[in-house]
Amino acid sequence: MFIEQPSFYLRMFYPHALWRKNKNEKMVYLTFDDGPIPEVTPWVLDVLRENGVKATFFCVGDNVRKHPEVFEMLKNEGHQVGNHTYNHLPGFFKDADFYIDNVIKADQLIQSKLLRPPHGHITRKQYHRLRNMGFRVVMWDLITRDYNAKLSPERILNNVKKYVRNGSIIVFHDSLKAEKNMRYAMPRAIEWLKEQGYEFGTL
């Protein structure tokens, strides 16, 4: 559970980050990290369109550079975009200036003040400086772990069923690494969430 749903103590380490939205509304927030890529992201968009769901995509700047047409597709379909750094940099053990320059480089292409640090790794110094620059750090309330090839697709779906709650910010990945698990679990999770009465929002 420590991985799938971050602990109270971890959340308090970054008290101004967005971990979860209104716990009194039966609403969830689908997010996708690491894209956009042509092999996976268009399929995700098809599933979301078929289900009438809008989501938030935390994009890697270099992928936006390489695949601008896919980036335009997700924006044109009304989805929200966020920054996932230019090179998918984990902040731990990175110089603050270097890390922030990488975020700014991505922002020149993505143009969003929503920032999700890759792996959730961001130092306090990086965190405070980026907040002072107007970025909103977005973490998560439920990470599906679809990126873990050791886990079955059924386990990924079960993670959603087990840990979702009102206001959950849910993380999937539109990446090759997560593709197998995500293609199975994501559409089934949407179907199940609808059956439970959840609505879907963007951040």
Side-chain angles (χ1 to χ4, degrees):
M1 177 177 176
F2 179 77
I3 296 176
E4 290 86 351
Q5 198 165 73
S7 72
F8 169 81
Y9 299 102
L10 180 59
R11 295 170 196 248
M12 290 308 298
F13 196 68
Y14 303 109
H16 300 290
L18 181 59
W19 295 89
R20 180 186 179 191
K21 297 202 76 173
N22 192 338
K23 65 181 181 180
N24 296 313
E25 291 184 353
K26 205 169 179 66
M27 181 86 70
V28 294
Y29 303 83
L30 292 185
T31 66
F32 295 86
D33 290 2
D34 297 357
I37 59 171
E39 297 89 346
V40 182
T41 307
W43 177 85
V44 172
L45 295 176
D46 288 344
V47 173
L48 296 176
R49 187 187 321 109
E50 291 164 4
N51 285 277
V53 171
K54 299 300 182 188
T56 304
F57 288 79
F58 287 94
C59 300
V60 173
D62 195 41
N63 284 341
V64 174
R65 178 191 65 81
K66 290 186 289 189
H67 311 296
E69 71 288 348
V70 184
F71 183 63
E72 289 302 316
M73 283 174 60
L74 65 89
K75 289 199 300 179
N76 290 340
E77 297 211 13
H79 299 290
Q80 192 174 32
V81 298
N83 189 323
H84 205 44
T85 74
Y86 191 86
N87 296 111
H88 199 262
L89 285 185
F92 294 168
F93 312 114
K94 299 291 183 184
D95 174 79
D97 288 338
F98 181 80
Y99 183 81
I100 289 167
D101 285 347
N102 203 264
V103 171
I104 293 171
K105 186 176 180 180
D107 185 51
Q108 292 171 351
L109 295 170
I110 299 165
Q111 298 182 354
S112 170
K113 291 304 180 184
L114 297 179
L115 170 68
R116 172 170 286 156
H119 312 291
H121 293 180
I122 186 169
T123 67
R124 297 277 287 183
K125 184 176 182 180
Q126 294 160 358
Y127 172 72
H128 288 298
R129 284 182 58 182
L130 287 164
R131 283 193 69 233
N132 289 337
M133 294 167 61
F135 285 95
R136 181 72 189 275
V137 175
V138 180
M139 295 297 200
W140 57 82
D141 186 57
L142 194 170
I143 188 161
T144 64
R145 300 183 70 192
D146 56 349
Y147 54 82
N148 190 335
K150 295 181 180 179
L151 300 181
S152 70
E154 293 81 7
R155 167 70 182 277
I156 305 308
L157 176 59
N158 189 58
N159 283 342
V160 176
K161 293 180 178 181
K162 184 175 182 179
Y163 294 108
V164 73
R165 55 188 178 173
N166 289 359
S168 282
I169 298 171
I170 303 172
V171 181
F172 284 99
H173 295 79
D174 54 329
S175 68
L176 292 175
K177 184 177 181 181
E179 181 179 12
K180 179 182 177 182
N181 282 337
M182 191 271 297
R183 280 184 181 263
Y184 176 90
M186 188 268 288
R188 290 169 174 81
I190 291 175
E191 180 181 4
W192 182 85
L193 289 164
K194 285 185 171 183
E195 291 171 353
Q196 306 309 305
Y198 286 102
E199 297 183 11
F200 297 82
T202 56
L203 303 173

